Amino acid sequence: MSFQPPQNIPSFSSSQRPLEDSYWRPSAAKNNGGLGGYGLSKSQSSGVGSGARRLSTFFGRGRDLPMYKDKPYFAPRRTAPKRVQRQVLYVIAGLFLIAFVWVWFASREDVRNVRSSTATGEELWNWVQSLDSEAEKTKKPKRIDWEARREKVKDVFVVSWDGYAKHAWGYDEYRPISKKGRHMIEDGMGWIIVDALDTMMIMNLTSRVQDARDWIHNSLRYNQDHDVSTFETTIRMLGGLLSAHYLSTTYPQLAPISDDDVGSPGEDLYIEKATDLADRLLGAFESRSGVPYASVNLNTSVGIPSHADGGASSTAEATSVQLEFKYLAKLTGEAEYWEAVEKVMKVVDDQEREDGLLPIFIYADTGQFRGENIRLGSRGDSYYEYLIKQYLQTSKQEPIYKEMWDEALMGICKHLITYTKHANLTVLAERPDGLHRALLPKMDHLVCFLPGTIALGATGGLPLSVAKKSPDWGPRQDEEILLAKELMKTCWATYLATATGLAPEITYFEVDDPPRMMADVYPDSALIKGDKDQPSKYKQKDLDLISQPLDAADDETPSWKKDINIHAQDVHNLQRPETAESLFYMYRITGDEMYRNWGWEMFKSFVKHTAVVETDEPSPHEAKDDNDDESKKPRSRIVGFTSLSNANIVPPVTRDNMESFWLAETLKYFYLLFSDRDFIPLEETVFNTEAHPLPRFKPSGDLKTRWERKPRQKKNLQTESE
Ligand code: DMJ
């Protein structure tokens, strides 16, 4: 049965429910420096070794306070039955239990989905086969049924998840071809289960949510003597738990949760686990500078420098943990979470890097950058993403992050945006040796988060038609949307360029020598000049070029294809989400169905080329008679989806790995792209960099950005030709 968006969603005009606010608000007595809830003084929690002390005290016998402030332990609700009645009561309770379970089970919509999902793999395979038929290729539906298309995404999720659940339940990694799981740390840390949880909520897969929830309650423990990545653990695990808390409390219809019965996982489970994990991760921030170490030992909470890169952390990793810790601070009232991550932003900004563009490595001890490599691909990407998202998370109350985002976007346009030789595709290039050295016209798949993020920054998440009516709207915002559209098209081109229709990990572009930079071609652009009121040539840029379909060229090698070079070592496809993510934002914001259509083509390519297929040869006795052709046919079904080692060949070379972001991000963004625009409204949420939606809220009290940028020298914003 198909899922209908719930009709009776309460008013969420304030995304942070008042009830939730008062529920978690710390009492005055406990809110002493943000640590009272843990029964610790400030001095106990500072210094490198304090993480270990904090944890041993916190989890030790002497604990007399709940896991986080103001949340009482739940006293048993039932009193013990008297001895004489016990046996009778057991029988009655047993009968009730059986009746209840039966009614509950039979009434669950999701159970029907599970039942039908046993056939889903086979249906999906038949559907994939039908896509290649001539009739299907030429079929032009009168009206596209997006509801049905998003159900297909759900089917793909169900097959991916069920394969994992069957063969590798509880493991952190999954190999869908060999059907094997593997832990990343001794007892596992819920890498796949926690990362995928909120997608299942969004898809209303309630029985699977309950399975995940039970596992989190019964099996997930963080007190393991093992190093983990500070960043990955924050965005995937902490982000996943927090988003599960947010969705299950804000949209209970999507993800009903059972009561807080003693011994059963209750509504506090996610936040309790999140707080436990965050306390362990906090030790990573106890470096001399406050910049987090790349790794942290979960048991001792001691930060560990990177084993590579001269001990430096990745800039993106150090600066993309803020949304998660800030939301946790808001939920718990603990300023310590906020302050730890806020400090990092000051350390990086204090260095006044040119035009807001940062090198991709930073030393945790000194807070200094390492090298001059500047890019928005790996190790650089989400620093920029979290600038604008921190501004939106706190309901635009903290202009410092908007200022940093605007400056960085100007820097991007000035130093990194160039155009291809033949088709004038817009490219977001790199500067591996600094801003005044050679340009490298290369785009990691990872940079394809940017078109969507630019559009998000321009409208704040509002539909374009609404945002344009705002008094703040001007030529600069128009140009931002234009740039977002151009980059979106380039990302789409990287998909169309391969044999499978799936983008490689890295794409190089043909550009002129010297490259035509945006700053040279459109020097009067508001994005370059920072002059937000002056209309520029850029705004009138050839819009036809943007809307010209890439796949419609007649000649054998269309001009845009001549602009694209894919190197042999970059042909892998890890089922990454960034292009789907940007399509989701672009559709939500512009309302242009073209982005949904592109997404649908991409989705079909994923299903077709990343599916793991099993075929049963019919056994001789299955054929009832010689004319029973059906039973003689081999039966195939899809049993999972995998990364590819080579996406530029058909059939592709598979890799036997399903990344957790396939479930957490890629399929979630496809599902949301094909959903109605008001489903999980963009203007009420921010998605963290792992696609976990978190609410926007108004900062207050200690939970504020209480630092100022160093005064910048007035620079001539007009760029010199390079
Ligand atoms: C995800 O884990 C996150 O989106 C991260 O910010 C970058 N890369 C992967 C997915 O590609």
Side-chain angles (χ1 to χ4, degrees), residues 72 132 134 192-193 262 335 351 384 405 541 550 591 701:
D132 283 336
E134 272 316 304
I192 291 180
I193 293 178
V262 175
Q351 297 178 54
Y384 304 93
W405 163 252
K541 190 168 185 283
L550 288 170

Side-chain angles (χ1 to χ4, degrees), residues 47-65:
V48 169
S50 70
R53 279 199 303 281
R54 173 179 43 239
L55 292 170
S56 60
T57 309
F58 184 53
F59 295 100
R61 294 164 130 249
R63 187 176 78 169
D64 57 357
L65 285 164

Side-chain angles (χ1 to χ4, degrees), residues 235-257:
I235 64 163
R236 300 189 199 212
M237 299 300 97
L238 186 57
L241 290 164
L242 290 172
S243 151
H245 171 77
Y246 166 57
L247 290 179
S248 60
T249 51
T250 310
Y251 301 95
Q253 298 87 337
L254 284 181
I257 49 176

Side-chain angles (χ1 to χ4, degrees), residues 231-232 235-236 381-382 446 576-578 661 665 689-690:
F231 163 76
E232 297 289 0
I235 64 163
R236 300 189 199 212
D381 49 4
S382 43
L446 292 166
R576 285 196 188 276
E578 291 76 18
F661 51 68
E665 297 195 73
T689 191
E690 188 74 5

Side-chain angles (χ1 to χ4, degrees), residues 284-295 303-306 310-314 318 347 361-369:
F285 295 81
E286 292 174 359
S287 66
R288 270 195 291 134
S289 72
V291 170
Y293 289 108
S295 306
I304 300 147
S306 168
S313 304
S314 294
V347 172
F361 290 109
I362 186 166
Y363 290 109
D365 281 331
T366 62
Q368 300 297 306
F369 290 107

Side-chain angles (χ1 to χ4, degrees), residues 434-485:
L435 292 182
H436 301 282
R437 296 280 177 84
L439 187 88
L440 182 63
K442 153 189 177 242
M443 281 172 62
D444 292 352
H445 188 283
L446 292 166
V447 307
C448 286
F449 80 94
L450 195 69
T453 303
I454 293 175
L456 176 70
T459 72
L462 290 170
L464 194 53
S465 52
V466 178
K468 278 190 162 197
K469 291 183 188 137
S470 138
D472 299 334
W473 194 266
R476 183 185 164 110
Q477 285 73 18
D478 276 329
E479 290 188 8
E480 287 176 1
I481 294 293
L482 188 56
L483 179 64
K485 287 180 176 176

